[in-house]
Structures are given as structure tokens and as C-alpha cells.
Amino acid sequence: MFAPIADAHRSMVEALRLPQQHKPAGTTLIAEGQDEAPLFTLFSGWAYRFKTLRDGRRQVLNFLLPGDFVGLQEKVADASLHGVEALTDVWLCPFRRDAVWQIHREAPELGYSITWLAAHEEALLDENLVSVGRRSAAERIATLLLVLYKRAAALLDPAPREGIVFPLTQQLIADAMGLSLAHTHRTLRLLERAGLHRIRDGRLQIVNPKALERLADVWDDGRPAIRPLV
Amino acid sequence: MFAPIADAHRSMVEALRLPQQHKPAGTTLIAEGQDEAPLFTLFSGWAYRFKTLRDGRRQVLNFLLPGDFVGLQEKVADASLHGVEALTDVWLCPFRRDAVWQIHREAPELGYSITWLAAHEEALLDENLVSVGRRSAAERIATLLLVLYKRAAALLDPAPREGIVFPLTQQLIADAMGLSLAHTHRTLRLLERAGLHRIRDGRLQIVNPKALERLADVWDDGRPAIRPLV
DNA sequence: CGAAATGTTGACTATATTCAAGGCAAGTGG
DNA sequence: CCACTTGCCTTGAATATAGTCAACATTTCG
């Protein structure tokens, strides 16, 4: 699923790369308002980006899966405008903070890949914004489950029998979809009782894809896109 | 406010640039689902990106002001995942469809600028997502007015006496903030009667910035960032 | 084993939506 | 010049979706 990387690029990236890091679930990878925030590619595990209002209300912006490039936004602001937290144990591939510029200068193809990844993440945000702004609670949750399922399945087994690993808590789903915890719970149960999906033991199974897709109404051309990796 | 451009880059960009285009207000600049969508910098006027669900519900993703680079997302998908429509008369600077790659290859600094612009637009989307997901109607509208005011003021007069040109209809505000038209109207009147702002004759004045900022709760370091222009 | 996090549920409330009118201003065609 | 249309703004009443609050159950984990 990832585009192959030329050897020349690989060695250049190696030069800008710092030692891989392992972080346990729950670690704050980037704090809200942090300056000198790190820059890294997520190599394994799940994470999420979020913002918090003064009174504690929190919005999850999007979920990060392996291959996602994190910390780009800090290049356009003095301090990080959002937080990033590890949802599961993760492995990171951190880069020097000037790596974005170095990569653009020395390997335009990789620079283009970074732009590609930024545009791709923006497309995810667009879809989230539609959910939160215009979909009902049931539609939002159907959309989230489907999109995450497809992203995760594309990374591993495209048709997993036992479902995918699914580390989200209901609170996180609520914060991502702009709903209250109670309503999120009720809606999840509604869909589950209706036989649309099943969440159990930290795994998500899509039981009735047709029904979920009807609710979600997301454009999807079927085949997962080939994506660059930095 | 825009970063200066080196002559070498300017001439390279000129080579990739197609003739400037003028479009009247209301023109569809990119249709939802369109393939071979154009790529351009907005030179003057306002526009907006949006998505529509099957049943017609519409979400405005963000508003586009002069200097914004449009069409990047189409590079990561076969067809445009969103529509773009001109809100006022606009001037566009269209590029050849392969310009993104050409720019990265031939002028890494400009390639970096494109990445910068993508990351910057993503930051705007993040803020919108927080509004739609976690702010009350009054907070959403206060946030939108403030953010648009600052963006528009930064482009022209930083302290406009008569307010800024403000071409949004209430329906558009509603679609941007995930509210119904009726509630948007009521909320706008509420804020206006409370003396927070004033919209009249297509212009927006910020009457009580303190109160609006208290409602909006947006991070703002004061000085508008210097941004690249492609 | 106890504490903390997560999941579950009900009763009540509130915010925002829907529906349905009507007004006003600008543009159009007879 | 005046009906007529069209788009946008305005408003009220009824309704619905989702939020709040308050328990309690269950699981996880040290």
C-alpha cells in the first residue's frame, strides 16, 4: 500500500532521522501550546490530534495511524495549536526539526510526498467536518466506524475475519464526533443492536456494511489509494 | 504580509501559470466530483469550499481569501472531493495541472511554500472543527466573525474604520457552522443586539472585540503571520 | 483487594431544528 | 412604471435531537 522509496531517498531520510522511539499508550506526544514540538512519522500504533477549550471541552480532530506524518502544522505557527496523544503503544520515527525544509531541498520527490500527506490529512478533516456539522448522531458514528475500519484494514489485512483492533473509548468517539458521552453510548448500542457492527474485546467488526454505508453516505472509490511514506 | 519572492522563482512560476481568469460571483470554480479539477491561487475576492450529502445537506469547509492556493486536494484523489464556489467576483491565477510537481522539482523553496499553505489551511479546518463540534451557537458565530475579520483585515487595512467587506449570507454562515438558518439568524441578532458586532450593507464591524474574544476562546498570538505566496 | 477508568442506563432539560409565514429589496419583463 | 419573481432576512410555535445529571455496573490494573 505504500509507494516504494528510491535508495537515494532512503539514505537521505536516514540522515535526518533520529533514533526510533517507543512510547506507551496515553503518552502526550505533543502538548497543546508546546513550542519546539517534535516532527515524526507514526510507525506503529494509534494516536489522535485534539484541541481543548479553556473550560475543558475537547475536540478530537482526527485519528493517526501508521504512516501518518505528524508535526507539520507546527511549522506554520510558533507553538503547537493542537495536542497529540498516543492511544496505544506506539513507535515513532522522529526527524530533526529542520527536516521538512531539508527534504524539500534535497529530495523534491519526498517534499512532494509531504505535501501529498498534508493534503490527504486535510481530506480526512473535511469528512470529519461534514460529520460533525451536518450528520445525525447515528450517521456520524456509522461514518466514523466505516472510515476507521477501512483505514486500518488497508494497513493490514484488507478483509480481516475477526475485525480490526479498535482502541477507542466511547469518550473518544464522543469527542471526535461532537457528541456527549451518554448519547454516543446510546447511539452505539442502537447500531449494534440493529446488527450493523460489533465492538468487543477491543476489536471492531463490520457486520452489515451496506446498512452502514447507507447511513454514512461517504464517497468511496473502492480501492485504497497508494500513499507515499516519508 | 506576503513573503517576497525571488526573481528566479517568479519567472519559473510565470512559466507554469495560465492566463488570469475573472469569474463572477456564484460561479462554480470546482464541482464536487469533478475530475481534472483546476489548480489556482485566488488573487482577489472570496470563495468557499464545501461538501454536500445526497439529500442536500451542505457543509462549508472553509472560506478562501486572496493568497489561498486551491485544488491541492485533487492531487490525492481521482476526483475532487469537495466543491469550490465564488462568493464574490474573483480573479484566479490558474496553473497547469502538473504545476505542483514541477514547482517541487524546480524550486524547492516554493514547494515548501505549498506545503506551508496546506498546513495553514489545515489549521483553519481544525479551528472550524472545534467550533462545530464543541462550541455553542453563540460561540461558533463569535468565532467565525472574529476569525474572518482578522483574516480579511490582515489582507488590507489592519484596523478598518468602516469594518470589512463581508459577503456571507446567513445561509452560508449556517452551513459553515453546522446550524440551521433560523437559529443562525436568531443568534446573529442576539450578538448584534448585545452590541458585539454589526453587519450592515455587506460590511462587518467588530464593536466589542473583548466580548467576542471571550465567547470565541481562540488562541491568537496577536501579529498576523507572514505567509508565502505561490 | 481497592481504586480508577470505562461502560450502562434513566429522568429531566435545553439547545437547536423544523415548519410555516411574511417582509423587504433588487432585478425583470410587460 | 408597475406587477411579478427571486433571494435573503425575520419571526413564532411546535418538536426533536442531543445534553446534563446522577447513579450504578463492569473491567482493568496496580
Side-chain angles (χ1 to χ4, degrees):
Chain A
M1 140 177 206
F2 291 104
I5 300 184
D7 283 347
H9 295 154
R10 183 182 296 277
S11 59
M12 200 214 76
V13 167
E14 296 294 344
L16 296 170
R17 182 184 282 174
L18 306 175
Q20 285 207 6
Q21 291 179 12
H22 175 83
K23 305 274 187 179
T27 308
T28 295
L29 304 176
I30 299 178
E32 279 183 285
Q34 174 179 354
D35 53 353
E36 301 282 310
L39 191 68
F40 59 89
T41 291
L42 184 59
F43 251 53
S44 73
W46 293 48
Y48 61 97
R49 298 197 310 123
F50 64 95
K51 277 184 165 236
T52 313
L53 294 174
R54 271 195 300 265
D55 64 2
R57 282 174 289 177
R58 188 175 70 155
Q59 176 67 37
V60 169
L61 304 167
N62 62 336
F63 292 98
L64 302 169
L65 264 55
D68 283 336
F69 188 74
V70 184
L72 198 53
Q73 276 200 53
E74 284 65 36
K75 311 306 292 180
V76 308
D78 291 336
S80 178
L81 304 168
H82 59 257
V84 178
E85 192 167 316
L87 233 174
T88 64
D89 285 12
V90 293
W91 279 100
L92 313 180
C93 241
F95 293 96
R96 285 169 38 194
R97 285 190 35 77
D98 62 352
V100 177
W101 166 236
Q102 294 298 335
I103 287 173
H104 272 84
R105 197 180 54 177
E106 292 173 29
E109 287 176 40
L110 283 179
Y112 183 79
S113 293
I114 291 178
T115 300
W116 194 101
L117 288 171
H120 183 256
E121 182 164 280
E122 194 179 328
L124 293 185
L125 283 176
D126 286 351
E127 196 55 61
N128 279 164
L129 199 44
V130 173
S131 279
V132 171
R134 285 300 182 219
R135 286 196 246 249
S136 70
E139 292 167 339
R140 289 181 213 190
I141 293 201
T143 307
L144 181 70
L145 296 182
L146 265 183
V147 170
L148 285 179
Y149 184 88
K150 288 186 179 168
R151 283 179 68 193
L155 284 168
L156 303 164
D157 181 359
R161 238 174 311 164
E162 300 298 321
I164 59 161
V165 174
F166 191 76
L168 308 205
T169 63
Q170 294 186 352
Q171 182 63 63
L172 222 36
I173 297 176
D175 286 344
M177 298 320 255
L179 296 167
S180 69
L181 174 59
H183 200 52
T184 298
H185 172 254
R186 280 187 264 264
T187 307
L188 273 168
R189 296 323 309 277
L190 186 75
L191 299 189
E192 192 155 354
R193 260 185 273 120
L196 300 204
H197 76 284
R198 188 161 153 208
I199 295 174
R200 198 204 277 221
D201 302 328
R203 307 197 131 250
L204 163 66
Q205 280 183 306
I206 301 297
V207 179
N208 188 340
K210 288 262 172 75
L212 278 171
E213 270 159 16
R214 221 174 304 124
L215 264 180
D217 186 16
V218 283
W219 292 57
D220 184 18
D221 51 5
R223 59 192 172 67
I226 304 273
R227 47 181 293 166
L229 178 64
V230 174
Chain B
M1 140 177 208
F2 291 105
I5 300 184
D7 284 347
H9 294 155
R10 182 183 297 279
S11 60
M12 201 214 77
V13 168
E14 296 295 345
L16 296 170
R17 181 184 283 172
L18 306 176
Q20 285 208 5
Q21 291 179 11
H22 179 266
K23 305 273 187 179
T27 308
T28 295
L29 304 177
I30 298 178
E32 278 183 286
Q34 175 179 352
D35 54 353
E36 302 281 309
L39 190 69
F40 58 88
T41 291
L42 184 59
F43 251 52
S44 72
W46 293 49
Y48 62 96
R49 297 197 309 123
F50 64 94
K51 279 185 162 233
T52 312
L53 294 175
R54 271 196 299 264
D55 65 2
R57 280 175 291 178
R58 188 175 68 154
Q59 177 67 38
V60 169
L61 303 167
N62 62 336
F63 293 98
L64 302 169
L65 265 55
D68 283 336
F69 188 75
V70 184
L72 197 53
Q73 277 201 50
E74 284 65 39
K75 309 308 289 181
V76 308
D78 291 336
S80 177
L81 304 169
H82 59 258
V84 178
E85 191 167 318
L87 232 173
T88 65
D89 286 12
V90 294
W91 279 99
L92 313 180
C93 239
F95 293 96
R96 283 167 40 194
R97 285 189 35 78
D98 63 352
V100 177
W101 166 235
Q102 293 299 334
I103 287 173
H104 272 86
R105 197 180 56 175
E106 292 173 29
E109 289 176 40
L110 282 178
Y112 183 78
S113 293
I114 291 177
T115 300
W116 194 100
L117 288 171
H120 182 256
E121 183 165 280
E122 194 180 328
L124 292 185
L125 284 177
D126 286 351
E127 196 56 62
N128 278 349
L129 197 45
V130 173
S131 278
V132 172
R134 284 303 184 217
R135 283 194 248 250
S136 71
E139 292 168 338
R140 291 182 212 190
I141 294 200
T143 306
L144 181 70
L145 296 181
L146 266 182
V147 169
L148 285 178
Y149 185 88
K150 287 184 180 169
R151 284 180 68 192
L155 284 168
L156 303 164
D157 181 0
R161 238 174 312 164
E162 301 299 320
I164 59 160
V165 175
F166 190 75
L168 308 205
T169 63
Q170 295 186 351
Q171 182 63 63
L172 222 38
I173 297 177
D175 286 344
M177 298 317 258
L179 296 167
S180 68
L181 174 59
H183 199 53
T184 299
H185 172 254
R186 280 187 262 264
T187 307
L188 273 168
R189 296 325 308 276
L190 186 75
L191 298 188
E192 191 153 356
R193 261 185 271 118
L196 299 204
H197 76 282
R198 191 165 149 202
I199 294 175
R200 199 207 277 218
D201 303 327
R203 309 198 128 247
L204 162 67
Q205 280 183 303
I206 300 297
V207 179
N208 188 340
K210 289 262 172 73
L212 278 172
E213 270 158 18
R214 221 173 304 125
L215 264 180
D217 186 15
V218 282
W219 291 58
D220 183 18
D221 52 4
R223 59 192 173 66
I226 304 272
R227 49 181 290 167
L229 178 65
V230 175

